[in-house]
Amino acid sequence: MKLNIEGLLVYFPYDYIYPEQYSYMLELKRTLDAKGHGVLEMPSGTGKTISLLSLIVAYQRVSSAFPLDVTKLIYCSRTVPEIEKVVEELRKLMEFYAKETGERNNFLALALSSRKNLCIHPEVSSLRFGKEVDGKCHSLTASYIRAQRHVNPNQPVCRFYEEFDAVGRQVPLPAGIYNLDDLKDFGRRKGWCPYYLARYAILHANIVVYSYHYLLDPKIADLVSKELAKKSVVVFDEAHNIDNVCIDSMSVNITRRTLDRCQNNVDTLQNTIQKIKETDAAKLREEYRRLVEGLKEANVARETDIYLSNPVLPDEILKEAVPGTIRTAEHFVGFLRRFLEYLKSRLRVHHVVQESAPQFLKDIFDKVCIDRKPLRFCAERLQSLLRTLEIADIADFSAVTLISNFATLVSTYSQGFTIIIEPFEDRTPTIANPVLHFSCMDPSIAIKPVFQRFQSVIITSGTLSPLDIYPRILDFRPVTMASFTMTLNTFNVCLCLVALSSKFETREDFAVIRNYGNLLLEMSAVVPDGIVAFFTSYVYMENIVASWYEQGILENIQRNKLIFIETQDAAETSMALEKYQEACENGRGAILLSVARGKVSEGIDFVHHFGRAVIMFGVPYVYTQSRILKARLEYLRDQFQIRENDFLTFDAMRHAAQCVGRAIRGKTDYGLMIFADKRYARADKRGKLPRWIQEHINDGSLNLTVDETVQLSKHFLRQMAQPFRQEDQLGLSLLTLEQLESEEMLQKITQIAHQT
Amino acid sequence: PTEPFALIICINPRLMRHLFVVIDCSRSMEDQDLKPNRLTSTLKLMEAFIDGYFDQNPISQVGIITTKNKRAEKLTDLAGNPKKHIAMLKKAVDTVCVGEPSLYNSLKLAIQTLKHMPGHTSREILIILSSLTTCDPANIYEMTKTLKSLNVRVSIIGLSAEVRVCTVLTRETGGSYHVILDESHFKELLMLHVKPPPTSSSSECSLIRMGFPQHTIGSLADQDAKPAFSMSHLDSSSGPSLGGYFCPQCHSNYTELPVECKVCGLTLVSAPHLARSFHHLFPLDAFIESPVEEHQRNGYDFCQACQGELKDKSIFTCPSCRSVFCVECDLFIHDSLHCCPSCIHSQTAS
C-alpha cells in the first residue's frame, strides 16, 4: 500500500499495516527532518525493520526534491542471520517498488560481512576460524606480496583479488539487492573477490547492511567505514546493548600469555629489521622520511570531512610528526621492548591495583623513562613498521598490535578509562593468573565519531526502557525519544510475577531452591513443547541444578520434559540448543536451562513452540563485586549523575526484558512470561521494564503463588490454542489503507507513541 | 412376503467411514480440571459420541485404541456395533492412568487395520490427547508421511494446550486440531466428528453390492420357519431364534443391522440406514432467511411444518418449493430430518 506520512509518499510492501508501524514511521520521519538522532523502542515482531526501510528508502528517493539530503542508509545489526533478514525485507520492498512504479530503479543495497562469510577462494574459504581466513587472505593479497609476484611469478596470489583489482573498480556494481550469497555468486561469475568488491561498493551503495563493529570498533571502522558519506542515516538495530559493545571495542585485557606472544612478535620484528637492513636499507630510510612528514595526509582528509575520525587516532597527533625517539625502526623496537618489560613487571603483583591513566603514565615515566608522547604514536608507528617490513601474516602480530593500541589509548585519554591489575581470578585465589584490565568506562568515546559525523543516528530495539538513560550514557542529544506499544486484539502474553525470593542473602536457602524447583515442575506439566528458564549466573544455575538433583525434583521434571543446559562452551551449547529444538519439534517437550546475559538470552529466538513459556529465576543483576563494574559505576555517578542503584536496576531489567522477550516474536506468537522473584513487583523494577511488558501487568498477575500461576497458565494456554483468524485482527491491530486513513484511527495512533 | 434382495450401490468415503478413536490414558488423564477427572469425563462423552456416530453413519465402523505407558492397545476392533463399544468404554473407567502416551504406536496400530480398508471408504483417526508429550520409538514425521500416502486423516482434540507435533500431524493429513476450553466445549468439538469430513478430490467412488434383508418374525406355528443361530451372536450363548434378518445371498441369520455377513461378506443394511448416510452427500440447501413482515403481506401466516403462527422476527423459505418455516422447524429440518417435508409432500402428490 502507499502511505502518506506527513507529505512523504511511502511505499509499504504489505496490504495491511500495524498501527504502531505507522506511528513509528511518523516519529522516524520527524527525526530525519530535524537531521537529528533518535531513540525508538518498539517490541520485536511488530515489523520494525520493514517500517524503517520503507520510510528511509522513500526519504532517499525524494531527497533530491527536498532541501535536506539523505544519500545513504547504514543499517547495523548484530549477527549474520539478522543481516540476511534485513536484506530479504529490503528485497521485498524493492520488488514492490518495481511493481508499483513499473520502472527499474537504480538502487544499490548490499550486505557486508567478514572475509570468512564472503571468501570464495577455494583454499582460504575452507578454513574454519575467522582469524585464519583473514590472515591467509592477507598473505595472498597484501600489496608487497603482489609486488613480489612481478619478480617471482611463483609467488601465490589470490586470482579473485587480482581480477577485481584489475577491472572491478572501473565498473560499478550493477544496481540491485545483494545479500552475502548474491555477492558470492556475482563474484564467482565475474571472478572477482566478493569481499573487496563489497568493501569498495559500500562507498556508492544506497543501503549498506553490516555489523556494529564495522562502525564502532575503531580498528575495523578505520579500514571499512571511514569514507562513508556524511549525509547518511545510521541505524543501530537491537541496540539495547550498544553501550557494552562500545566499551568492549575500546577495552584491552592483557594477560601473561599476551605478553609472551608479544615478546615473540618483537623478536621477529627485530630479526626482520636486521635482515632488511642488510638487503634493503633504502626502504627503512624511506619510512623514516615519511614519518618526519607526519600523518599530514590523514589530517587533511579528516579536515575536509572525507574520513570518519578514529578514537584510537586522536585529532591532535595528526598534526604532529612522529617523535624522534621512535622514528627509526630499531629505536622503536627497543622502545617496545622497554614497554613490554615494564608491563611484565606490573603483572608481577600480589595484590589488586587500580589506577587511573595519568597515574599509570607517571609511573611508567618514573620507572623506565617512557614519555607520554611516543606512547601516543605507538599504534600508528607499529602499523607503519609492519607495512615497511612487509610482514605477510598480520594475524600473528595481534599481540603486539594489542599492546601498541593500549599504549596509544592510555596516553590519549586521561578520563574514561581505568587500569585494574588483578593477580588472580576471584574464584580461584590460589592460582596466579595476573590480568591487566584496561577498561573503558565511557561508551561515548567509541560512538562519538559516529554521532558527530553522520546526519542522523537511530537507536532502536525492543527493549530500551527507560529511554532517557541511553542519551545520557552515550552522551548525545536526541531529537526524538519514543516508545511504542503493541496493539493486540487478544492478550497473547500472559505475565505472572511469582512471589519467590532469590535475594543474594537468601538464595542459598533450601526452601527457596525447592520453591523454584516446584514452580518449574508444575509448569513443565502444563506448558506444551518448549520452556526456557533463565538463571542469573552459571554458578547459581549449577548450584540449583545440583540441589534439585539431590531433592529428586529433577527426576520428576524429567518425567514431563527433557532437560537441556546451556554451558559456557559454545559448541556444547549449540548442540544442546539443537537437541532442544528437536525435542520441541517432535512432541517430546523440553526445558532449556540457560543464563541471562548468556549466548541464548541474546541472540536466539524461541518462536512459537520453541518457547511457550519463559521463566526468569531471580533478578539478573551483574556481578557487583567485579572491580571493573565498580569503577564503571563510580564513573557514571561522577560524570553523568547516574546513581549506582539506578544503573544496576536498569541493566538488570533490560536483560530480564531481553530474556522474556525471546518468546514473543510476532503477533501470532504467544507465550507465558514468568518473573519468579518478589522484587519484580516493586515499582522501581516494574517501571524500568519496557512499556509493552508493563502494559500486561495488572493486579491479577502480581504476587502469585505457584498454584495460582498454574491455574492462570492453564486457562491462558487453552484460550490461546483456539483458532486464530486474521479477520479478527483487521481494523483493530491490523489496518488496511482505508482504515488507516480514518480520522478515529489517526487519533488512536497518536497515542501509541509514548514520548519522553 | 417379498423376497429379500440385493442391490448394487454407489459408495463414496463419506458414506462408509472407518474411524479409530485413540484415547490417551496417560498420567495426565487423572487431572481433575474436568469433573470428576479427565478420563471419566472423556469416556462418558465418548459413549455419547459413539451413539451419535452410528446414528449419523449407520454403515460405518469404529474402533477404539488406548495408549498409556508408551504403548498402545486395542480396546475394541473396527466394528459397526455401538453396544459393544459402549460396553467396553464403561469397563474402561477403571483403567489406571500411568506413564506417557505414544502417538507413534497408536497411529501404527491404527493403520495396521486401516490400510486394509478399501479405497471407497474413509480412513480416519481421532485422537483425544490429554498429555503434552508423546514418547515415540521412531520419528513421528516419517509416520506422518506414511499416513499421508495411505490417505488417513488424523484429527486431534487436545485437552490441555496446543502441542506442536499435533499441529503438524493434523495439518499434513488434512485433519482438524482443536483444544478444549471446558467440558461443554469438549462435547461440542467431539460432536463435530460425528459428521463425515469433507471428501478430498482424490477419493474414489465404487459400486458395491449390498443386501437389504427384510425382518421376518417367525412363529412356531409357521411350518416353514427354520430356527437359526444368529451369526453375530455365535460367541454369546444365546439360543437359536426363529425370526431375524436373513442374508439375501446365503440366508445366514442376523438379529441386527447393519452388519457384514460373516458367511458371504455381503454388507447388510436397511434402507433407512442408507438414507441417513446419504444426507451428508446431498445436504439440504440452507433456507432463505427474510423478515416476517414481507411474507405476512403475501398471506403466509403459518409455518408449513408445525402449522404454528409465525411469531418470530424472521422466517425461512425453502429455495426449491418456496414453503415457509419457523425457526424451530428450520433447525429441526436441517439437523435431524435432512429433507424438506414440503418438497417430499409435493413429490408424492405429483
Side-chain angles (χ1 to χ4, degrees), chain B residues 91-144:
Chain B
K91 246 190 253 170
V93 174
D94 301 323
T95 316
V96 191
C97 299
V98 280
E100 286 173 284
S102 172
L103 282 183
Y104 186 92
N105 289 338
S106 318
L107 294 171
K108 198 170 152 197
L109 189 63
I111 57 171
Q112 272 170 5
T113 311
L114 283 182
K115 69 178 168 198
H116 299 301
M117 292 301 142
H120 59 262
T121 62
S122 80
R123 299 164 180 172
E124 296 169 57
I125 299 172
L126 170 66
I127 304 174
I128 295 170
L129 192 69
S130 155
S131 170
L132 294 169
T133 58
T134 157
C135 192
D136 299 331
N139 190 349
I140 188 121
Y141 293 98
E142 292 298 318
M143 176 57 88
T144 313

Side-chain angles (χ1 to χ4, degrees), chain A residues 523-529 559-561 584-589 608-609 612 670 714-715 717-723, chain B residues 27 31 33-34 38 100 132-136 139-141 159-165 168 177-182 185:
Chain A
M523 293 316 290
S524 71
V526 297
V527 178
D529 300 330
R559 258 191 239 163
N560 296 326
K561 287 187 193 306
C584 293
E585 192 67 50
N586 64 24
R588 190 66 200 81
H608 296 287
H609 57 288
R612 280 291 178 227
Y670 65 88
K714 262 189 177 173
H715 182 72
L717 288 167
R718 281 194 177 146
Q719 287 290 340
M720 282 298 123
Q722 300 313 310
Chain B
R27 189 158 40 90
D31 200 312
D33 54 1
L34 298 176
R38 283 184 185 176
E100 286 173 284
L132 294 169
T133 58
T134 157
C135 192
D136 299 331
N139 190 349
I140 188 121
Y141 293 98
L159 299 191
S160 27
E162 184 191 349
V163 180
R164 173 68 182 182
V165 68
V168 177
Y177 181 35
H178 295 283
V179 175
I180 64 158
L181 289 172
D182 49 34
H185 189 223

Side-chain angles (χ1 to χ4, degrees), chain A residues 123-379:
Chain A
E123 277 169 50
V124 181
S125 58
S126 60
L127 294 170
R128 275 185 59 221
F129 297 103
K131 258 191 185 162
E132 288 173 3
V133 176
D134 288 353
K136 186 83 183 159
C137 177
H138 196 262
S139 70
L140 292 176
T141 58
S143 52
Y144 42 84
I145 298 281
R146 298 177 50 225
Q148 275 172 27
R149 190 179 156 84
H150 291 301
V151 188
N152 171 18
N154 290 332
Q155 178 78 32
V157 291
C158 173
R159 66 193 160 92
F160 298 103
Y161 183 78
E162 293 302 319
E163 191 63 28
F164 166 70
D165 199 52
V167 287
R169 279 184 238 270
Q170 280 105 44
V171 200
L173 192 62
I177 316 290
Y178 296 88
N179 65 16
L180 300 178
D181 285 334
D182 297 337
L183 281 170
K184 277 198 211 169
D185 285 347
F186 185 79
R188 280 200 196 97
R189 259 204 325 272
K190 294 266 183 182
W192 297 349
C193 169
Y195 174 73
Y196 282 97
L197 177 69
R199 257 177 65 176
Y200 177 71
I202 61 170
L203 296 180
H204 57 261
N206 301 87
I207 295 177
V208 181
V209 187
Y210 60 27
S211 148
Y212 281 12
H213 299 280
Y214 288 86
L215 216 48
L216 291 181
D217 193 326
K219 288 158 275 204
I220 311 176
D222 205 38
L223 286 174
V224 178
S225 310
K226 70 178 175 186
E227 288 176 61
L228 292 181
K230 189 169 163 47
K231 285 176 177 171
S232 302
V233 178
V234 178
V235 174
F236 288 105
D237 197 1
E238 302 286 330
H240 46 271
N241 254 343
I242 195 166
D243 54 325
N244 291 335
V245 176
C246 292
I247 283 177
D248 287 346
S249 72
M250 298 293 281
S251 297
V252 180
N253 290 329
I254 298 170
T255 60
R256 206 168 260 171
R257 241 188 104 219
T258 326
L259 292 181
D260 290 343
R261 279 173 46 217
C262 187
Q263 184 77 49
N264 290 339
N265 290 165
V266 172
D267 291 342
T268 326
L269 284 178
Q270 176 103 49
N271 294 339
T272 326
I273 290 170
Q274 213 59 47
K275 237 182 270 165
I276 288 199
K277 225 175 165 187
E278 285 157 18
T279 56
D280 195 2
K283 200 182 268 171
L284 289 174
R285 275 202 298 281
E286 167 62 20
E287 188 201 19
Y288 186 86
R289 197 191 55 74
R290 228 178 29 231
L291 292 174
V292 177
E293 290 195 354
L295 304 162
K296 267 189 205 129
E297 272 169 49
N299 188 31
V300 170
R302 198 176 286 180
E303 269 178 356
T304 51
D305 228 15
I306 299 173
Y307 285 175
L308 173 76
S309 61
N310 181 347
V312 182
L313 196 63
D315 280 333
E316 307 92 77
I317 73 161
L318 292 178
K319 298 190 179 82
E320 299 172 41
V322 174
T325 44
I326 56 170
R327 233 177 268 167
T328 64
E330 291 108 323
H331 288 174
F332 180 59
V333 170
F335 171 84
L336 276 180
R337 263 186 211 288
R338 243 187 312 155
F339 185 56
L340 205 57
E341 283 310 316
Y342 172 73
L343 287 179
K344 275 188 188 162
S345 76
R346 288 304 304 264
L347 277 187
R348 278 192 288 271
V349 286
H350 297 288
H351 56 274
V352 179
V353 181
Q354 179 175 359
E355 57 188 26
S356 64
Q359 273 172 314
F360 181 84
L361 288 177
K362 186 173 179 309
D363 191 61
I364 196 170
F365 184 71
D366 290 346
K367 292 243 175 71
V368 288
C369 288
I370 290 183
D371 209 357
R372 182 169 167 218
K373 204 173 160 195
L375 273 180
R376 289 175 67 175
F377 285 89
C378 208

